[in-house]
Amino acid sequence: MPSRRAIVSGLLATAAFPATSQGARLRKSISTIVPFKTSPFPYRGKLPDGSGPFLDATRDGRRGHTSPRGGIYWEDETYFDRSTLLAVPRGFDPTRPAVIVVFFHGNGATLQRDVVVRQRVFAQVEASGLNVVLVAPQFAVNALDSSAGNFWTPGAFARFMAEAGQGLAKLTSAKAARFDAMPIVLAAYSGGYNPAAAVLKNGDAGGRLLGVILLDAVFDESDIFAGWIAGHVENRFFVSAYGESSASGNAEIIRLLGSHGVRVSTDPPHRLSAGTVAFIASHGAHDTFVTRAFVDNPLQWLLGRVHGFPR
């Protein structure tokens, strides 16, 4: 296994910093992966239901977690990585109304290989036309595990976002206070549903949370998503595009919303703004859902309809 220093050096080597800026607008995009002090992992706490410690296995001095789908994963291979992707599109202007997209990846993923290259998340964010920055933390590395880690703990996501604001300020030469005040769009794919539900349950995004985008991502916690929608339908948006894999989870949210008297749309929304609640069925395959669902590049398509933040 490579050393911690080699891992960090490799991550920093992915950075592409802008040469100069013209006025406040960036002339070149920024994309860097850096370690955070506050991150989903390592996590030494309990399972969210309090039934026992997250790290429930030991062998030869190593600690591990028993995943329902993947068996035992070891902390030093799977739950060690503090990396977070920070990315800013060309043309971003911190002096104008802007939004932070926080992306939670799914199972079996790494930031560079999957989020950046395979799923083209930053490319989609940049092509959306929003005045936007992207923040994406690493969860379990290459594992069949949706655990939220430290994001299960109230307050952890808020601290993570404060650190993200500091990092974005350093990259763009803008004041951290600008990023601390920006509204957040929370986007989650597949296993990202679990940390997304934890953030909503804990209320860690507070009044900054503009809306939620799910991409084939409801495999549990339907009651948490439905409760959040019902409590915020007047001033937030929620859209879930789904395929066969998460159809039952989305159907359960729709059923629960019906009991709350919340009306939903099953058509792709023309605009994402306060009061939008949409569920979009798709024939897209789960593994390629982030790039091909009800439309090609669905994240780009949806972000392009977020109202009020043109680049």
Side-chain angles (χ1 to χ4, degrees):
M1 180 178 175
S3 69
R4 178 67 186 169
R5 179 176 296 179
I7 291 169
V8 173
S9 297
L11 295 174
L12 293 175
T14 66
F17 295 97
T20 59
S21 62
Q22 184 176 12
R25 294 170 60 87
L26 294 183
R27 292 178 59 187
K28 293 179 64 177
S29 65
I30 308 167
S31 178
T32 183
I33 298 176
V34 294
F36 267 35
K37 292 180 180 179
T38 302
S39 55
F41 294 102
Y43 176 66
R44 294 289 182 91
K46 294 183 177 181
L47 294 169
D49 63 2
S51 61
F54 176 75
L55 298 176
D56 59 353
T58 59
R59 182 185 298 166
D60 299 329
R62 304 171 78 193
R63 292 187 177 189
H65 168 67
T66 305
S67 169
R69 295 177 61 211
I72 296 176
Y73 289 116
W74 300 104
E75 182 182 42
D76 57 2
E77 295 176 339
T78 306
Y79 307 110
F80 70 95
D81 198 335
R82 294 181 175 274
S83 301
T84 290
L85 168 67
L86 301 175
V88 187
R90 178 179 179 271
F92 171 73
D93 186 345
T95 68
R96 299 184 59 194
V99 64
I100 298 177
V101 171
V102 179
F103 182 81
F104 290 168
H105 66 73
N107 288 183
T110 67
L111 293 177
Q112 180 64 26
R113 184 193 66 205
D114 299 288
V115 174
V116 175
V117 177
R118 181 171 64 88
Q119 297 171 332
R120 303 180 64 253
V121 170
F122 179 41
Q124 292 192 56
V125 169
E126 186 167 37
S128 71
L130 277 182
N131 196 37
V132 63
V133 295
L134 171 67
V135 176
Q138 176 72 54
F139 291 94
V141 177
N142 277 330
L144 295 176
D145 189 346
S146 304
S147 298
N150 288 304
F151 286 179
W152 280 324
T153 305
F157 180 73
R159 293 192 298 273
F160 169 82
M161 290 306 301
E163 189 170 352
Q166 294 288 336
L168 290 164
K170 291 178 181 178
L171 293 182
T172 61
S173 298
K175 293 181 178 180
R178 291 191 181 275
F179 296 102
D180 292 341
M182 286 179 187
I184 296 168
V185 172
L186 180 58
Y189 162 65
S190 188
Y193 81 89
N194 188 282
V199 170
L200 298 183
K201 180 180 179 180
N202 292 336
D204 278 356
R208 295 178 63 188
L209 188 55
L210 189 68
V212 176
I213 294 173
L214 300 183
L215 299 172
D216 214 12
V218 183
F219 296 93
D220 202 351
E221 315 293 6
S222 296
D223 56 333
I224 293 177
F225 290 112
W228 182 84
I229 296 166
H232 298 84
V233 66
E234 294 182 356
N235 51 17
R236 304 288 188 270
F237 70 78
F238 178 93
V239 58
S240 179
Y242 63 93
E244 182 178 354
S245 296
S246 66
S248 61
N250 280 274
E252 177 63 8
I253 295 177
I254 294 172
R255 185 190 70 80
L256 291 170
L257 290 177
S259 67
H260 288 289
V262 177
R263 299 180 61 181
V264 306
S265 171
T266 56
D267 295 321
H270 295 292
R271 189 168 87 166
L272 291 184
S273 56
T276 301
V277 180
F279 293 82
I280 310 167
S282 172
H283 296 294
H286 181 73
D287 288 349
T288 57
F289 204 88
V290 179
T291 55
R292 186 177 301 169
F294 64 100
V295 293
D296 288 344
N297 299 316
L299 182 61
Q300 173 186 330
W301 192 93
L302 290 166
L303 290 176
R305 281 152 178 77
V306 174
H307 179 66
F309 304 92
R311 192 186 322 146

